[in-house]
Amino acid sequence: MSKTAVVLAGGGSRGAYQIGVWKALRELGIEYQLVTGTSVGALNGVLMVQGDFEKALQIWENLSSQDVVGDMLEGKGELDDRQLTRVFAHEALAKGGADISALEKFVNSMLDEPLFWKSPVDFALVTVEYPSMKPLELEKKDIPQGMLGEYLLASAACFPAFQAKEIDGKKYIDGGYHDNMPINLALKMGADQIIAIDLESVGVSRRIKKGDQKIVLIRSLWPLGSFLKFEGQLARRNIQLGYLDACKAFNKVDGQMYAFVKDSAFFYTAALHEAMEELAQQAEQREPKIVSAVQNVVLHRMLREFRKRSRYMSTPHSFTLSRQMMMAAEYLGEILGVDPQKEYLFGDFLQLLLQKSEQCREKTVDTEAFHPEHFTDLQRMAEELQKLDRSFLVLLIRQRIEHFLQGGGSLAELVVVSAFWREFVAAVFLYLLERISFEDIIE
C-alpha cells in the first residue's frame, strides 16, 4: 500500500509558508499518512497530524515575537535582520540563549494530545543531544505519553539563539544540526511518496537516499524573511506564497515565480512569438552570427534555470514556447515589483507589466549619461550598469535594443548588456509586449 509523507523543514518564522502548502493540499484532496519534521517543521507537523488546520492558521496569522521570545524584544522598536541577530547573539553570550519559557507556552498552545494520539497519521521528529551532537530521530510510537511538548521544544531549541532543552538530565538542541529536512527519516518509515516543504534556512542538508520513491519538493523563489522575525503580516504573506507554490507544484496553476490561471497564456503566446520572430529577423539583418550566439546563450541560461526550478514538480514540465514566454514575463514582473501573492490571468499580468513600466518611465533619469558611446572601457561600462536600479536598467536595455534595430549601437554594446541576462530577457519581453495588440488577441 502506498504511503505519502509530508516532510517539513526547519526555518523558524518561515514556518508559516508550510501552512500555506497545507491549505493547498487540503483543497487538492491530497492525503498523507506520515509527517516528519525538524524544529518549526515538527511543530507544524503535529498540527498536521491533529488535522487542525483552522487552529494552525489562527496561530500563525496572529503570531508575534512576544509569543515566541517573551519580553526579550520589548522596547527595542522595529528591528531589521542584523539587529535581531545581534540581540539573540547577546542573549546567547549572556545567558546561553534566549529563555524558552515563552516558546514552551507557544508550543503547548498548539497541542491537542488526545487528538494527536488518536490520529491515524504517523509522525516523527528530529532533535540532537548536546554536547555530544548525537541525533535522536523520535517516532510517534516511541514518544512517551505526556512528553510530546517536551520533545517538540527539544527539536525547536535553535541553539545558541535559544537555550538548550533539558529532558531527563540530558540537553537537546535544534534537529537542524543533524537533518533540517528529514526526507530520509520518512523513507526509513516506509514512505514511497514524499511532499517536502523546504524553508531554505540554516541547518544540515542530508543527501537523499535514492530509490523508487517519488519526491515533490516545494520551496519559494521569493525571500521568506528572517527566520527570527515573528509577526502576523509576514506570516500571512508567506502562507499565501506557500499556497500558490503548492498549486504550481501540483499543476493547478501555471508559472514558477508567479501564479497564472491554468492555460490563460495560450493565445498571448502566439502573438508574442510572432513579435519575437519579427524582432529576430530585424536583428539578424545587422549581425546574424552575434545575434544568434547571444540568443542561444540567453535561452540556454533560461533553460538551465527552468530545469532547476522544475526538477521536483509532481509532473515533469517541458520548456515549451508558452513556458519560455511566461518565464520572461516573470523576470520583468519581479524587476518591476509586481505582487507575487495573487493568481493572475496572464493577459491581466501583461497589462500590469505595461502599467508598471510606464510608471518607471515617469522617473526623470538622464539616459544619455549611460550610452555605450561614452565608455571606451567595456568593463567600466558593465560596472556602471551594475550600479543601476534594475527597473531602470531594463528600460535602458530596451531603449538600446530599439536603437540597435534602427542601425545604431555596436556589437560590444549588445554583448555587454546581454551579460545582464535576466534584465536582458525582461527588456526584450517588454519590447515585444509593446508591439502586440490585446484587442486582436481577445477577439
Side-chain angles (χ1 to χ4, degrees):
M1 183 178 176
S2 178
K3 180 187 282 191
T4 298
V6 176
V7 178
L8 304 172
S13 62
R14 298 174 188 174
Y17 179 84
Q18 296 171 341
I19 304 303
V21 175
W22 184 15
K23 178 183 176 182
L25 297 181
R26 284 163 52 87
E27 289 186 8
L28 294 167
I30 297 173
E31 298 182 349
Y32 50 89
Q33 292 74 47
L34 167 65
V35 182
T36 65
T38 295
S39 194
V40 74
L43 303 183
N44 284 334
V46 165
L47 290 167
M48 292 189 73
V49 171
Q50 294 172 181
D52 205 343
F53 174 75
E54 294 303 327
K55 183 176 184 178
L57 198 61
Q58 184 180 19
I59 287 172
W60 278 103
E61 288 186 339
N62 296 284
L63 190 64
S64 70
S65 292
Q66 190 171 22
D67 295 325
V68 181
V69 298
D71 297 330
M72 191 180 80
L73 301 178
E74 188 176 358
K76 292 185 169 60
E78 189 69 24
L79 303 178
D80 60 25
D81 290 354
R82 182 175 295 180
Q83 291 167 327
L84 278 169
T85 302
R86 285 176 180 170
V87 172
F88 277 92
H90 178 268
E91 292 291 309
L93 290 172
K95 303 175 185 177
D99 180 65
I100 62 172
S101 56
L103 180 61
E104 184 172 14
K105 185 178 179 181
F106 173 65
V107 168
N108 288 332
S109 73
M110 292 182 166
L111 298 183
D112 186 332
E113 288 215 38
L115 195 58
F116 176 83
W117 296 112
K118 184 180 177 182
S119 171
V121 178
D122 205 357
F123 174 77
L125 60 79
V126 181
T127 186
V128 172
E129 190 177 330
Y130 181 81
S132 69
M133 304 307 288
K134 179 182 177 182
L136 174 63
E137 296 181 335
L138 198 61
E139 298 182 22
K140 184 178 182 179
K141 63 182 176 61
D142 298 320
I143 300 174
Q145 292 279 341
M147 294 294 290
L148 176 59
E150 296 291 282
Y151 282 104
L152 286 173
L153 275 168
S155 181
C158 186
F159 184 81
F162 289 93
Q163 294 173 7
K165 173 62 179 175
E166 187 169 331
I167 302 174
D168 296 333
K170 295 180 180 179
K171 290 185 176 181
Y172 294 93
I173 59 176
D174 195 296
Y177 282 95
H178 170 65
D179 190 351
N180 201 49
M181 190 164 62
I183 291 176
N184 289 328
L185 175 56
L187 295 174
K188 186 173 71 174
M189 294 175 68
D192 49 22
Q193 297 187 61
I194 303 285
I195 301 168
I197 309 170
D198 189 12
L199 301 178
E200 296 196 284
S201 190
V202 293
V204 175
S205 297
R206 297 280 172 183
R207 179 173 292 184
I208 301 169
K209 295 178 181 177
K210 294 183 178 180
D212 297 329
Q213 69 275 1
K214 180 180 180 181
I215 298 176
V216 176
L217 178 62
I218 302 172
R219 60 161 59 109
S220 178
L221 296 177
W222 298 92
L224 297 178
S226 168
F227 73 98
L228 296 172
K229 194 168 188 177
F230 295 88
E231 62 176 28
Q233 183 178 356
L234 178 61
R236 287 189 288 275
R237 172 187 178 272
N238 288 344
I239 287 169
Q240 180 63 7
L241 291 178
Y243 170 77
L244 291 175
D245 283 343
C247 289
K248 296 169 205 170
F250 289 97
N251 298 308
K252 183 182 178 183
V253 298
D254 289 327
Q256 291 185 312
M257 295 189 75
Y258 290 91
F260 304 120
V261 173
K262 194 73 178 172
D263 298 327
S264 65
F266 182 78
F267 292 107
Y268 295 94
T269 297
L272 289 164
H273 178 60
E274 185 177 339
M276 184 67 208
E277 289 291 307
E278 292 177 6
L279 170 62
Q281 289 176 9
Q282 284 182 271
E284 287 173 359
Q285 287 176 6
R286 280 203 61 187
E287 300 289 346
K289 291 184 178 180
I290 296 297
V291 168
S292 179
V294 168
Q295 188 176 17
N296 288 338
V297 168
V298 170
L299 196 60
H300 176 73
R301 288 181 175 177
M302 286 180 68
L303 174 60
R304 185 170 57 187
E305 190 162 88
F306 177 85
R307 285 176 173 170
K308 182 180 178 181
R309 294 176 178 179
S310 304
R311 183 180 176 190
Y312 289 107
M313 300 289 283
S314 61
T315 303
H317 282 171
S318 300
F319 194 46
T320 62
L321 178 62
S322 181
R323 293 198 175 99
Q324 292 171 30
M325 291 299 177
M326 279 191 281
M327 200 169 178
E330 289 178 326
Y331 287 146
L332 182 56
E334 185 261 333
I335 291 168
L336 295 179
V338 176
D339 185 2
Q341 299 178 64
K342 301 177 182 178
E343 181 180 342
Y344 297 92
L345 285 164
F346 193 65
D348 291 346
F349 188 79
L350 298 184
Q351 295 276 17
L352 186 56
L353 293 180
L354 289 173
Q355 292 172 19
K356 290 277 189 180
S357 65
E358 283 305 312
Q359 291 169 7
C360 288
R361 284 193 178 96
E362 291 172 3
K363 300 175 185 177
T364 54
V365 182
D366 180 16
T367 58
E368 290 297 322
F370 297 99
H371 278 195
E373 289 90 339
H374 296 180
F375 295 96
T376 55
D377 185 340
L378 295 181
Q379 182 176 351
R380 184 179 162 227
M381 174 186 167
E383 290 171 354
E384 291 299 316
L385 290 174
Q386 203 163 19
K387 297 175 184 177
L388 296 178
D389 175 83
R390 291 182 73 205
S391 60
F392 178 67
L393 179 56
V394 167
L395 293 178
L396 179 61
I397 295 174
R398 180 245 170 272
Q399 180 194 70
R400 302 313 296 171
I401 289 171
E402 188 166 34
H403 186 57
F404 181 81
L405 294 174
Q406 293 171 351
S410 66
L411 291 178
E413 172 185 342
L414 182 64
V415 171
V416 170
V417 296
S418 66
F420 301 87
W421 70 272
R422 290 183 184 84
E423 289 80 2
F424 182 78
V425 170
V428 170
F429 188 82
L430 178 58
Y431 182 87
L432 301 178
L433 189 55
E434 292 169 345
R435 277 152 181 77
I436 66 172
S437 169
F438 283 81
E439 290 78 11
D440 290 346
I441 295 171
I442 293 171
E443 292 176 2

